[in-house]
Amino acid sequence: EAGVAQSPRYKIIEKRQSVAFWCNPISGHATLYWYQQILGQGPKLLIQFQNNGVVDDSQLPKDRFSAERLKGVDSTLKIQPAKLEDSAVYLCASSEGYLSGNTIYFGEGSWLTVV
Amino acid sequence: SQQGEEDPQALSIQEGENATMNCSYKTSINNLQWYRQNSGRGLVHLILIRSNEREKHSGRLRVTLDTSKKSSSLLITASRAADTASYFCATASGAGSYQLTFGKGTKLSVIP
């Protein structure tokens, strides 16, 4: 079974530039998550989709971050304009559904450095 | 906000020894999960324990959950150098959307 795919794996940009990350979840998984992991910390949820609808985006900095999952499969996370503090790993994850007890599977992450 | 807090922050042991990591959380949960993260890699799911379970085993892993103390422990027996990684506990709570809240992790180093 193919895992959660993410790209690009690494990205270096200057502050105030924009960047986009792509995620392809495990086939058939209805729930998709984007997490932000700053070095030395645990992942923090940014946004959760159920199919193509947003379930929770309460911790997404909406002035600069946006995410979409148009057809209920792939998802894109965009940052515009980037700040130095956005340097982190952006982890995409998916699960079969939103019910408690479903295992959440993570991708390898997209590493962002803002200089 | 991060609900789980792992203890210790870092742990260094010799190969063959057992490693114990603890996690404390603040609010009631549906389940608690442990993940491993190798340096530069994504998170790998290790084990899930439900709120009505007290202990669970998977290979060399043993997880306990004490909901009265709001704490969990992860025991890795007969550690190997390949177990070197960061270990995170994550709690799932709430009646609605299912999402995980992670702690800051324990960095385990197993010395050959």
Side-chain angles (χ1 to χ4, degrees):
Chain A
E1 179 181 85
V4 177
Q6 291 188 245
S7 68
R9 284 296 317 275
Y10 306 96
K11 191 78 175 178
I12 300 174
I13 61 172
E14 294 182 351
K15 59 184 179 184
R16 291 186 290 273
Q17 286 187 324
S18 62
V19 64
F21 301 115
W22 171 83
C23 172
N24 180 243
I26 293 173
S27 178
H29 280 193
T31 308
L32 185 146
Y33 313 80
W34 283 101
Y35 281 83
Q36 179 194 56
Q37 185 178 20
I38 293 172
L39 188 66
Q41 297 185 20
K44 181 185 82 171
L45 179 70
L46 291 176
I47 189 167
Q48 177 186 356
F49 292 94
Q50 179 67 17
N51 296 311
N52 60 348
V54 175
V55 175
D56 186 344
D57 63 356
S58 57
Q59 297 192 85
L60 186 74
K62 298 180 186 64
D63 58 332
R64 298 183 299 104
F65 286 65
S66 65
E68 59 184 13
R69 193 184 184 199
L70 291 176
K71 296 183 179 179
V73 181
D74 294 3
S75 177
T76 303
L77 176 70
K78 295 180 181 177
I79 307 173
Q80 181 179 15
K83 292 185 175 181
L84 296 177
E85 59 260 36
D86 298 332
S87 294
V89 183
Y90 291 87
L91 296 162
C92 181
S94 70
S95 65
E96 286 187 6
Y98 63 88
L99 293 177
S100 180
N102 281 297
T103 297
I104 297 180
Y105 298 90
F106 284 80
E108 293 289 325
S110 292
W111 294 69
L112 174 66
T113 301
V114 183
V115 298
Chain B
S1 63
Q2 294 182 310
Q3 153 131 273
E5 290 290 335
E6 290 90 342
D7 170 62
Q9 291 187 352
L11 179 62
S12 184
I13 60 173
Q14 296 287 334
E15 201 166 29
E17 293 181 338
N18 295 341
T20 299
M21 288 160 270
N22 302 298
C23 170
S24 60
Y25 56 92
K26 297 173 184 169
T27 63
S28 61
I29 61 172
N30 295 327
N31 65 67
L32 185 145
Q33 303 182 33
W34 285 91
Y35 283 80
R36 184 186 74 227
Q37 186 176 40
N38 291 80
S39 182
R41 306 298 297 273
L43 291 150
V44 175
H45 181 262
L46 295 176
I47 198 163
L48 180 154
I49 186 165
R50 291 181 168 75
S51 60
N52 60 354
E53 297 176 312
R54 292 297 167 257
E55 187 171 313
K56 207 159 182 181
H57 297 256
S58 176
R60 294 184 296 113
L61 305 180
R62 172 178 168 251
V63 168
T64 62
L65 178 64
D66 186 336
T67 53
S68 66
K69 295 181 179 178
K70 291 187 170 59
S71 67
S72 173
S73 67
L74 170 67
L75 169 67
I76 304 174
T77 60
S79 63
R80 306 166 182 169
D83 295 329
T84 294
S86 290
Y87 292 81
F88 295 90
C89 72
T91 55
S93 55
S97 64
Y98 169 50
Q99 55 191 241
L100 295 178
T101 304
F102 286 83
K104 293 184 178 180
T106 292
K107 192 167 186 177
L108 173 66
S109 298
V110 182
I111 303 166

